Amino acid sequence: MVAVLAACSSAKQPEMPSERVETAPPPKAAEAPPPSSLDLQPSQPVPGGVAIPDQAGPPKVALLLPLTGRAAAVGKALRNAAELALFDIATEDFALAFYDTASSPQTAAAAARSAINEGADMIIGPLFADSARSVGPVAQAANVPVLSFSNDRSAAGNGVWVLGLLPSEQVERVVRYAASNGYSRIGVLAPSNAYGFEAMQAARDTAARTGATISRMRSYTPGDSTSLSETVKSFAAGGEGGYDAVLVPEGGQNILNLAPLMAYYDIDPNKVKYLGTALWADPSLGREPTLVGGWFAAPDPAGRKPFVDRYRSVHGTAPHGLASLAYDAVGLAAVLSRQPGGDGFSVENLTQPSGFNGADGLFRLLIDGTNQRGLAVLRLTANGFERVDPAPTSFSAAIN
């Protein structure tokens, strides 16, 4: 199932057609330009200051999304954000084809084959790591780059980039900041899953580089109340004398179950600095007193606000947390498609060291298929978040 849209001013969400539909690009609306902070442009000028001419013919970019199945609601939000990027950033001859992956790796691979057979020069999506792994060989054989929405580094490489926020980068940012502010003995209490294991390794690596010490580390089984209680009790044994900060890379209901146990077993937030990841970027966590005052690394909400406000004004609701990835990916494709010579999607252009400014701030794609982002350090309050250390404005500045 596929629809082809050109850059246009339509703010309505079109229904998915039963067959391929092509639309001619209507004129853009001139009276309401998007805020300049939403324009995704290379963060440094094109070498020599040469203006980038429009490429002849519409760029061929395929967007693979779960438009049906268990993740259809997320897929719809990603599609909505992609269409905003068409309006805000793309030129009138930029066309984007939508393909339904139905939350299935097999369907995603078939969609990638269809997209490539129909002339796609770039694939954006799919959402899940297993689908990205199934799409990778199909795209690699055709030398078509893939910008997936996953944050699982195991899906990266061989022409596939993961655009999601990597746990390791979030942990490095917040642990480095904590160490620079005198928290040198750090404990880690993490879920026994891929996210937690990556966070634990990143904590070890960052501590080694900053002179801090990982003084205690435990993992627990999410959803297992017995495991959780016993693990927290074991972790807390000896009191806060063993650590002056504790990293908890967990979010949602899981951390709301975990935090009171930590307080019960005397991991006192008045004596121990709680640290988290972007999973803490949830204002509802402020209702848990144990977490209030903790630091976590995430994109700066102030920088993301223009995108959130714009999405809400068009679609009447706040965007899903991943929607900005689709906005930035389509914006990136639109910008690079205007490179002269038709090689805008080359590895060299995709991985330019200066990176790009998107809805979630500064980011760049690395040669190994991962990404790097400029993250802020935020403090959780009872009413939301406070910025305690700003995100960098360029990759020439140290990220610490």
Side-chain angles (χ1 to χ4, degrees):
M1 187 179 295
V2 56
V4 177
L5 298 182
C8 64
S9 60
S10 172
K12 297 292 185 181
Q13 169 74 18
E15 296 296 325
M16 284 297 295
S18 58
E19 58 183 344
R20 183 182 181 95
V21 175
E22 297 197 15
T23 60
K28 278 195 172 186
E31 63 272 16
S36 59
S37 61
L38 288 181
D39 291 342
L40 191 151
Q41 297 289 344
S43 57
Q44 292 183 359
V46 176
V50 179
I52 301 175
D54 285 347
Q55 169 179 309
K60 302 176 181 66
V61 177
L63 184 56
L64 275 57
L65 296 174
L67 299 171
T68 60
R70 61 188 172 91
V74 181
K76 180 180 179 181
L78 291 167
R79 176 172 178 151
N80 288 345
E83 290 174 351
L84 282 184
L86 281 174
F87 180 94
D88 291 346
I89 301 168
T91 56
E92 293 173 5
D93 65 352
F94 183 90
L96 187 66
F98 292 82
Y99 294 79
D100 184 11
T101 63
S103 303
S104 159
Q106 295 77 20
T107 306
R113 280 190 288 272
S114 295
I116 291 168
N117 289 338
E118 293 173 4
D121 296 317
M122 172 185 278
I123 291 174
I124 296 175
L127 175 59
F128 299 111
D130 54 359
S131 292
R133 283 189 285 267
S134 71
V135 165
V138 177
Q140 185 181 22
N143 197 30
V144 172
V146 177
L147 307 184
S148 78
F149 299 124
S150 173
N151 70 345
D152 185 340
R153 65 173 57 246
S154 71
N158 298 318
V160 176
W161 279 269
V162 292
L163 294 179
L165 275 65
L166 298 175
S168 56
E169 190 174 19
Q170 300 161 51
V171 169
E172 179 180 5
R173 177 73 166 100
V174 74
V175 169
R176 185 180 292 276
Y177 181 75
S180 70
N181 283 273
Y183 295 95
S184 60
R185 294 171 294 113
I186 298 171
V188 182
L189 187 58
S192 55
N193 55 27
Y195 190 98
F197 297 146
E198 183 173 340
M200 288 189 286
Q201 186 59 52
R204 292 189 193 97
D205 293 345
T206 306
R209 289 193 294 268
T210 60
T213 301
I214 301 300
S215 58
R216 189 163 302 170
M217 185 174 287
R218 299 286 190 279
S219 63
Y220 58 88
T221 303
D224 184 337
S225 59
T226 300
S227 168
L228 189 62
S229 181
E230 290 301 317
T231 301
V232 174
K233 182 178 180 180
S234 171
F235 182 86
E240 60 270 0
Y243 41 82
D244 49 28
V246 56
L247 173 69
V248 191
E250 185 66 277
Q253 189 58 48
N254 285 338
I255 199 168
L256 291 176
N257 294 336
L258 179 62
L261 276 174
M262 296 174 70
Y264 178 79
Y265 286 113
D266 297 325
I267 305 175
D268 187 349
N270 293 314
K271 299 178 180 178
V272 175
K273 175 62 70 174
Y274 279 44
L275 309 176
T277 64
L279 295 176
W280 284 31
D282 175 359
S284 70
L285 299 185
R287 72 175 187 262
E288 172 49 57
T290 305
L291 300 176
V292 170
W295 294 337
F296 65 97
D300 192 332
R304 181 184 170 87
K305 187 176 184 299
F307 165 73
V308 173
D309 290 347
R310 177 142 170 73
Y311 186 103
R312 190 191 298 272
S313 70
V314 173
H315 297 290
T317 185
H320 185 278
L322 298 179
S324 54
L325 296 180
Y327 185 94
D328 284 350
V330 172
L332 174 60
V335 167
L336 294 183
S337 72
R338 301 195 293 270
Q339 291 279 11
D343 63 347
F345 303 151
S346 68
V347 172
E348 291 75 17
N349 283 323
L350 286 167
T351 60
Q352 56 182 282
S354 56
F356 305 90
N357 289 302
D360 282 326
L362 189 67
F363 73 98
R364 64 180 170 185
L365 306 179
L366 304 181
I367 197 69
D368 65 356
T370 61
N371 71 82
Q372 186 178 14
R373 292 180 177 272
L375 302 176
V377 177
L378 307 171
R379 177 180 179 271
L380 184 67
T381 74
N383 300 311
F385 320 125
E386 294 175 349
R387 185 176 61 195
V388 296
D389 196 47
T393 57
S394 74
F395 284 112
S396 60
I399 298 179
N400 53 33

